[in-house]
Amino acid sequence: MTDPILPIIKSEGETHYLAGSRCGACGQIFVGERDVCAKCTARGQMAAIRLAETGSLYAYTVVERSFPGVAVPFIDAVVDLDDGAHLKGTLMGVDPNPDTIRFGMKVKIAWREAVPVGADKPYLTYVFVPQEGEAA
Amino acid sequence: MSHVYVVGIDMIRFGRYPDRTVPSLAAEAALMALDDAGLTLKDMQALYCGNLGQASGMVGQRMLAEIGQTAIPVTNVANACATGATAFRGAWMSIKAGVYDTVLAVGVEQMGKGLLGGGGGVSPEGLVGSYTMPAMFAHIGMEHSQKYGTTFAQFAQVSVKNHHHSTLNPKSMYRKETPLEEVMGSEMIAYPNTKLMCSVNVDGSAAAVLMSEKKVKQLGLMDRAVRIRASEMSSNPYEERQAAMPDFSGATRVAAKRVYEQAGLGAEDINLVELHDCFATAELVHYENLGLCADGEAGRLIDDGTTALGGRVPVNVSGGLLSKGHPLGATGIANIYEVATHLRGKAGARQVEGARIGMTHVVGGGPGMGTACAIHILEKV
Ligand SMILES: [Zn+2]
């Protein structure tokens, strides 16, 4: 069993998913597990959910210089998931060229194993990839 | 209620001082500010000291060990890029509350080169996007591009402007013109921020002597005084995307609204601004956050020279964090030094003519941490 790179990454058998929370008082969806709502301050209203695995590209940058040992370039993306959550991650399967990356492009979650900087073994991570029909 | 005044303020020239200590850099600025006020440490009733790198290291007390252990209360402050301004505001509040009449505020930082953060342990960097500061602030610029079509060249022009301003400031780390082609052609760090669009990590210190109105009049110091018309702070309000992209706009908008209300002024009354241009992308976004223009008009402001020296509301005439440098804990008070110097009519070649009201803004934070924002409005006496 490969360890997840972040605690929001959960596995059930061979199926992986991202943990989220929904506030029963205001309806806000959060990435990760939590007890109190940061938006409306309601307590004891959070329900655990699995986050949506599709969304659209809200903002991005092409990272050309990172911390020592990290492979560049890569696309650091902010994605609006279709359930209303907002998730940061690496966008793959797209040329890292700002002239061709389109705001709003449809993406989906994919699962990868990769060796992060500072580690000597692979970890389970999520990435964004274009949905079928999106120009890659 | 009576106002609080700055009667002495100064900063060391920002640069790299690897052979110095943090307390010695702080002490140098403190003595300069005392000299500017014509006072001594024995006149100070309290010290607020801002520093990030040695936040648990009692920097204020160690500074006093170098220049005089007068047993005054010391409050050491750490609050991201708002550290220095938070120390200044602490001093302001203590006088406003009537506890003291004369208080010293110091901000200081000694920094390494290169990207902040990183280092140590297994990191999700690259696997789950980026946690670098340039990438965070690139997102803010790209969000503006997505909404309003702001271009790479418009962001780069901010850096051209601020580097030009710094050629007129002897206390700036860099004092070199950087034409647009050079800014756009320098090493890309995180699109659209190139290396010349990232603030400079430098060492620095700045200090201010704050005084009650009663005491200023009693000592006859009004001729050198600058009025603190308003002081405000904020932390980040709830913003939907803040876990994915740290939010610096929401906090700035909240603090700006509060500070204009406290001052009884509007953005149209401001004659110059020192704002938090930690990256070129940030400056344009803050034009709108501070109300210098309507949402979506920041690109026009940089295009038509409104925010250049000689324009309607010059921004970062000191050279800004981009060229003057950004010693985190010192930046907030250095901004106040710049504006106060213009209000005193002593800014030399970069003087904003007729400046009566100026604004300083700092905002900082990081991924998974939240935001601290401080805004001050200063007024010529
Ligand atoms: Zn809620």
Side-chain angles (χ1 to χ4, degrees), chain A residues 22-28 30 36-42 45-46:
Chain A
R22 180 193 290 110
C23 175
C26 74
Q28 187 63 41
F30 294 88
V36 177
C37 182
K39 183 178 185 184
C40 77
T41 73
Q45 299 281 322
M46 282 291 164

Side-chain angles (χ1 to χ4, degrees), chain B residues 237-289:
Chain B
Y238 177 76
E239 298 280 355
E240 288 212 348
R241 290 184 183 82
Q242 67 193 0
M245 49 184 295
D247 179 76
F248 300 96
S249 293
T252 296
R253 284 176 186 239
V254 168
K257 181 169 184 293
R258 289 175 183 162
V259 85
Y260 286 130
E261 278 174 14
Q262 187 187 127
L265 296 169
E268 66 283 0
D269 298 312
I270 307 293
N271 303 131
L272 79 157
V273 179
E274 289 284 305
L275 62 74
H276 204 74
D277 61 329
C278 51
F279 295 88
T281 44
E283 178 165 320
L284 285 195
V285 174
H286 291 318
Y287 291 169
E288 295 168 16
N289 294 334

Side-chain angles (χ1 to χ4, degrees), chain B residues 162-163 166 172-176 200 319-325:
Chain B
N162 293 356
H163 279 92
S166 73
S172 177
M173 164 81 182
Y174 290 122
R175 302 186 64 194
K176 188 164 122 4
V200 199
L321 284 52
L322 289 171
S323 189
K324 181 178 64 179

